[in-house]
Amino acid sequence: MTGYFQWLVMTRRSGFIAAAALLVVMTLAAYIPAMHGGLIWDDDAYLTRDTRMESLGGLGRIWTDVVGEHYRHQYYPLTSSAFWVQHQLWGQRTFGYHLVNVLLHAANAVLLWRLLRTLRIPGAWVAAAIFAVHPVHVQSVAWITELKNVLSTLFFLSSALAFVRFFAPYGTEPPTVLRPVGRPGQWTAYGVGLVLFVCALLSKTATCSLPLALLLVLWWKRDRLGWRDLLPLVPLAVIAAALVSMTVYLES
């Protein structure tokens, strides 16, 4: 009997790896043309004309500059830091920047599948496959500057998955019910989810919708909500409101 369960676990694991690999291959195949692209529109402003990309001190200024010649009307320091790292690796060679965007989008497809699967939503893999190759994402994936979209989505989905684990730890029965908080290991998931959410906001503040999305999921799974359900989402809402207010102020 023990041998059977070991075989079952290995089979499920290999099946998951194969399905995830297929999503990645589909994404790479769909975006092969994008990898040969060059700089367009304002790519040069973020890569070749931003002197902060050229020194270690520039990496620090990415986090402190909110005005001046390098300010882009958007304070997304984690995205700019990712550009800094890539600039050290690729320099002016655009292939690397495009490849990173495509790989991040492929990872997002896998994360979306994992999240939908965890929530027991039928057709999760098909939905993720459509997400991977749908042309609505072309601008975000093929345009170097739109790294902020694919990077923030990576953190958004990872954070959402962590919070779903917080509300319904792996192995609970029935799996379709998000159970009350307070079980061992859940607060670790909460901490991870909170850090990932902050990373998402620092990549692009449009990810501020995560607390509302989690609230809707909880409502869907539990049919009714109490203060115990809402309290864990309050810190997320406060952080999101603060960073969104900063973005609105800077852009105005």
Side-chain angles (χ1 to χ4, degrees):
M1 183 65 70
T2 302
Y4 169 76
F5 281 115
Q6 290 178 342
W7 172 84
L8 184 61
V9 169
M10 291 181 63
T11 301
R12 289 182 176 178
R13 182 178 302 172
S14 60
F16 175 82
I17 293 174
L22 183 56
L23 286 173
V24 173
V25 170
M26 289 172 57
T27 306
L28 291 173
Y31 284 97
I32 286 177
M35 297 184 199
H36 301 288
L39 300 177
I40 60 171
W41 203 0
D42 59 352
D43 283 341
D44 59 339
Y46 286 85
L47 299 176
T48 62
R49 291 195 285 112
D50 191 340
T51 57
R52 296 178 302 177
M53 299 295 159
E54 300 171 2
S55 66
L56 184 60
L59 179 60
R61 296 205 313 275
I62 283 173
W63 291 83
T64 58
D65 286 351
V66 291
V67 294
E69 62 176 319
H70 298 298
Y71 178 59
R72 307 299 177 205
H73 304 290
Q74 293 174 328
Y75 180 70
Y76 301 151
L78 200 55
T79 297
S80 297
S81 296
F83 276 134
W84 186 92
V85 172
Q86 291 191 73
H87 190 271
Q88 313 313 307
L89 296 173
W90 331 123
Q92 307 300 325
R93 298 182 297 276
T94 58
F95 176 81
Y97 298 99
H98 286 298
L99 179 61
V100 167
N101 276 22
V102 174
L103 290 177
L104 285 173
H105 183 58
N108 291 339
V110 174
L111 282 171
L112 178 63
W113 171 48
R114 184 65 176 170
L115 178 61
L116 297 178
R117 189 167 176 259
T118 301
L119 293 172
R120 304 304 195 270
I121 295 178
W125 191 90
V126 174
I130 294 174
F131 174 90
V133 299
H134 198 287
V136 74
H137 296 292
V138 168
Q139 179 173 301
S140 294
V141 182
W143 183 5
I144 293 176
T145 300
E146 293 305 288
L147 170 69
K148 60 190 175 185
N149 287 348
V150 288
L151 184 62
S152 63
T153 300
L154 179 80
F155 290 123
F156 181 96
L157 292 173
S158 299
S159 179
L161 188 57
F163 279 113
V164 168
R165 292 300 188 200
F166 166 72
F167 285 109
Y170 183 78
T172 55
E173 296 293 341
T176 55
V177 178
L178 296 183
R179 294 191 168 188
V181 299
R183 298 177 182 272
Q186 284 184 289
W187 289 105
T188 299
Y190 184 88
V192 171
L194 186 61
V195 171
L196 290 170
F197 179 53
V198 172
C199 289
L201 291 169
L202 293 176
S203 302
K204 187 174 183 179
T205 48
T207 53
C208 64
S209 60
L210 180 61
L212 178 59
L214 292 172
L215 183 64
L216 292 174
V217 170
L218 287 172
W219 184 34
W220 165 44
K221 289 295 185 179
R222 295 183 181 177
D223 291 330
R224 57 184 179 182
L225 296 175
W227 285 108
R228 194 178 183 187
D229 306 313
L230 301 177
L231 284 177
L233 300 179
V234 172
L236 280 71
V238 172
I239 295 171
L243 288 176
V244 167
S245 297
M246 181 179 180
T247 298
V248 171
Y249 172 75
L250 292 173
E251 292 190 1
S252 63

